[in-house]
Amino acid sequence: LSAEDLLRRLQQGKVYVAEQAARAIDRFFRRGNLIALRELALRRVAERVDAQMRGYMQEHGIRETWPAGDRLLVCVGPNPDAARLIRAGKRMATRLECEWIAAYVETPAVANLSAADREALAENLQLAEELEGSVVTLSGHNAAEEIIAYARDHNVTKILAGKPTHARWRDKLFGSMLYQLVRGSGSIDVYVISGEEAGNPPPGRAALVRRSPPREYLWAAFVVAICTAVGWLILRRLTVTDVAMVYLTGAVVVAARFGRGPSVLASVLGIACFDFFFIPPTFTFAVLLGVSLLISGLTVRIREQAVSARERERRTATLYVMSREFAASRGQEELLAAATRHLQNTFGSAVAVLLPGTGGRLGPAVGSLPGYPLEEKELSVASWVLQRGQSAGLGTDTLPAAEALYLPLIVSGNAVGVLGLRPQDPKRFQDPPQRQLLETFAGLIGAALERTILADRGQKAQLEVEAERLRTSLLSSLSHDLRTPLGSITGAASSLLQDSGGMPETTKRGLLQAIQEEAERMNRLIGNLLSMIRVETGSLQVQKEWQPLEDTIGVALIRLDERIKDHPVQVSLPPDLPLAFIDGILLEQVFINLLENAAKYTPADSPIAISAAVHDGVLTVEVADRGPGLPKGEETRVFDKFYRITGASAAGGVGLGLTICRGIITAHGGRIWAENRAGGGAVFKFTLPAPTPPPEPPPAEEIDLATR
C-alpha cells in the first residue's frame, strides 16, 4: 500500500482507535517514515521472490540464466590495480540498481602468493565490502570454470573482468582466463575493462608463481647427483630403462618436496646427466626432458591440490568442533571460554571478548580475562566498532594504529559485543582466507550469544510469569483466608461492644471463643506464609537432635486437639523404634499440617492413622485417612504452592501446608509423596535418613562420699 492509503486507513480507525491513530500519525507514522518502510518491505519481497526463483531453477536443473533482474559479478584478484575494477563494478551496479558480487577464486596455488599479493588481495576484498558489495571466495583449480558455475547458480546476468596486459605467450602456454569466461558464459554478458598503467590481470598462474629460495635449487642438484650415483651402481645388473626411472623418481621427489622451479632444474639436470653418462645422443634428450617436465608438472599440481584440500579440511574441522561445543555450552561464560580457546589455537592470537556492562561501557565479559592489556585507546576503538557495527583496528583502513583487530558480534542485525584479536604477526589477517575464517568465527560466536541471550530472556520471562502467578494466587488466597477470620473477629467484637448488659454469659463466651479461634487461624496462616518464605529463600535452619518420634507426634496431637476432635487418631509405632535425629519443632509442624489437611478433607468420624517403621536403614512415616482420596494424576501437584483440589467441599487454606512439609522433609535429607490408599482415602508418606543410635554417654565416675 502507498503511504497515502496507509494514512487513510489510520484516520478511518481501521488500525487504531481515533485517539491512538492521531497520536500515531503525529509521532511515528509520518509520510516519510511510511515511504521508507514501504521501500524496505518491497526490498524484502524482492529478495524472497529472487530466492524462490533460484530455488525453482535448482530444483528443475535449469542452468541457464533467467534475466528477471540484473545481478553483477566482479572478478577480483591480488593485483593492486583491481581497485579500479571494483569501483567500476560499483558504478555499474548503481546505474543498473542491482546487486553486485565481488568473487575471488582460491586455486591450489594460492598458498604460493607473495606477501605483497596477499596484502593487495585483502585490500581489494575490503574495498568491495566498504562499497556494499557481497564478497565471496570460491575454491577450485580453474578460476574461469568456478566463476561461471557460481554465476549460473546465482542467476548472475553480467560478469565484469579486467583486460589482461601480460604477454600473449602466457595465454598460449597456461591458457587465458578471459577467453574461457567468454566461451563458457553462454547467455551471461561479459564486460572487459582496462586497468591503470600496470593493467589489471585476473588471478592466473602468473600471479601465483612462488620464487623458491636458492637452497631448494641446491637440493635439486644434490638429488640429481644421488640419482647419477645410484644409476652407476645398478647399470651392471639392470637396464638403461631402469636408470631412467631412477632419474624420473628423483624429479618426482624434488617436485613433491620443493615446488615447480627446483623440479624443472632437476628434470633438466637429470636428463643432461642421463644423456651424458648413459645414452648415446640420438634425440633421446628432448623426449625424456618432455616426459620429465610433464611428470614434474603433474606432481606439483597434485601437491598444490593436496595443500589446498588440507587447508579446507582444517577450516571445516575447526568450525565443526567449535559449533559442536557452542551447541553443548550451557551458559554465556562457558560459551565464551570455548570461543576464546578455539580462537587462540586457530589464529595464534591473544583474544579479548568485550561486552557492554553497566552504563553501556565496554569491558571484558564476565568470567573471561583479556589476553592482552586493554588500554583506553584500545577500548575506544572497540567502542567505535560496537556503535558502528563494522570492523576496525589492525589491518584495516579504520583506526589502523590499534594493536588489535576488532570485529563486531552481530545479533539480529545489532552489535552486542566486540571480539578483539592481537596476533603475533601483524600481517596475519591480511590473508583473505584467514580473514574470512575469522569473520565466520565471529558470526558463529554472535549466533551462539544470541541463543544464550534468548535463553536468558526466556528464563526471565518465565520467572516473571511465575512471579505474577504467585502474586495473583497469594492475593486471591489472602483476600479470602484473611477476610473470613477478620470478618468473624470484627463481628464478634462489635457484638460485645454493643452489648448493654443483656447478653447471656454463654453467648459472650461463645463470641470470645470465636475471636480466639479466628485469631489462631490467622496466626497459623501468617506462620505458614513465613515458613514458606524461609523454604523458598533457603534460610530454613534445621537443628537436629536425638529424640523419640512419639514425643513429636504427641505434641502435634495436643496442639490439634480441638481441630481433630471429630476424627479418631490411631498411632501405631513399633516398641523398638530407634531415636530419630530430627528437628522436633519443624517435624512437629509437618505432623500438624498433615493431620490438619486430613481432618479438613475427610468426613467427620473418619479415622486418621499414623504409623512408622524402619526398613533397610530408612525411617518411613505414614499419615493415612479414609476420605475421598486424591484425584488421579494429582498426587504430585498437591505439593505445589497455592494448590487446592478442584471441587473440594472443605474450606481449604492458602494451599501452603503441603509445600512447607516438602521443604522441611527435603531439608532433613528425606522425601515426601502422596498415594491413594487401598480401600479408599489418601496416605502421605515421608522418609528420613537412616536413624543411627546416638553414642552412649560415658559411665559416671563412682564417688566415695566417705572420703569427701
Side-chain angles (χ1 to χ4, degrees), residues 61-259:
I62 300 174
R63 302 292 296 172
E64 295 296 327
T65 300
W66 283 6
D70 288 322
R71 181 176 282 109
L72 176 65
L73 188 146
V74 181
C75 303
V76 180
N79 194 302
D81 297 327
R84 183 174 182 270
L85 182 67
I86 295 173
R87 297 184 187 278
K90 170 62 176 177
R91 291 194 297 269
M92 183 181 294
T94 302
R95 290 195 302 268
L96 297 174
E97 296 183 355
C98 68
E99 176 188 358
W100 72 284
I101 305 167
Y104 163 68
V105 181
E106 180 181 330
T107 61
V110 70
N112 298 329
L113 279 175
S114 63
D117 289 338
R118 290 182 181 276
E119 184 175 355
L121 179 59
E123 292 177 356
N124 294 337
L125 297 179
Q126 185 176 353
L127 176 62
E129 291 180 351
E130 294 175 356
L131 295 179
E132 300 179 352
S134 301
V135 177
V136 296
T137 300
L138 308 176
S139 297
H141 183 73
N142 190 299
E145 293 179 357
E146 295 300 326
I147 289 175
I148 293 174
Y150 181 87
R152 288 175 175 171
D153 290 340
H154 293 78
N155 205 38
V156 172
T157 58
K158 303 179 187 300
I159 297 177
L160 183 62
K163 182 185 296 183
T165 57
H166 52 256
R168 184 174 298 180
W169 64 267
R170 291 186 177 179
D171 293 339
K172 298 294 184 180
L173 183 61
F174 300 111
S176 172
M177 172 183 169
L178 182 59
Y179 177 78
Q180 295 177 12
L181 279 177
V182 174
R183 295 290 295 177
S185 59
S187 59
I188 304 175
D189 297 333
V190 179
Y191 294 82
V192 183
I193 67 172
S194 60
E196 297 175 351
E197 297 182 1
N200 181 31
R205 292 181 181 271
L208 301 178
V209 175
R210 177 177 67 90
R211 294 183 178 180
S212 301
R215 59 183 180 85
E216 294 187 357
Y217 291 94
L218 294 177
W219 273 106
F222 180 70
V223 170
V224 172
I226 294 177
C227 292
T228 303
V230 173
W232 274 106
L233 294 176
I234 66 174
L235 183 61
R236 298 177 181 179
R237 298 184 179 182
L238 301 177
T239 63
V240 176
T241 304
D242 298 320
V243 177
M245 294 300 103
V246 172
Y247 280 103
L248 290 178
T249 303
V252 170
V253 171
V254 173
R257 183 67 179 85
F258 301 114

Side-chain angles (χ1 to χ4, degrees), residues 346-402:
T346 303
F347 299 102
S349 305
V351 180
V353 180
L354 307 177
L355 299 177
T358 306
R361 181 175 175 81
L362 273 179
V366 177
S368 65
L369 296 176
Y372 58 92
L374 289 173
E375 301 176 355
E376 192 64 30
K377 180 183 69 174
E378 301 296 315
L379 289 176
S380 62
V381 177
S383 299
W384 187 92
V385 172
L386 181 67
Q387 295 173 2
R388 303 296 180 88
Q390 300 176 2
S391 302
L394 181 67
T396 66
D397 293 335
T398 305
L399 306 173

Side-chain angles (χ1 to χ4, degrees), residues 423-441:
Q424 297 176 357
D425 181 8
K427 297 183 179 180
R428 175 67 181 268
F429 298 120
Q430 291 180 356
D431 185 12
Q434 289 289 316
R435 183 65 178 271
Q436 290 182 352
L437 180 62
L438 176 59
E439 292 176 353
T440 304
F441 269 63

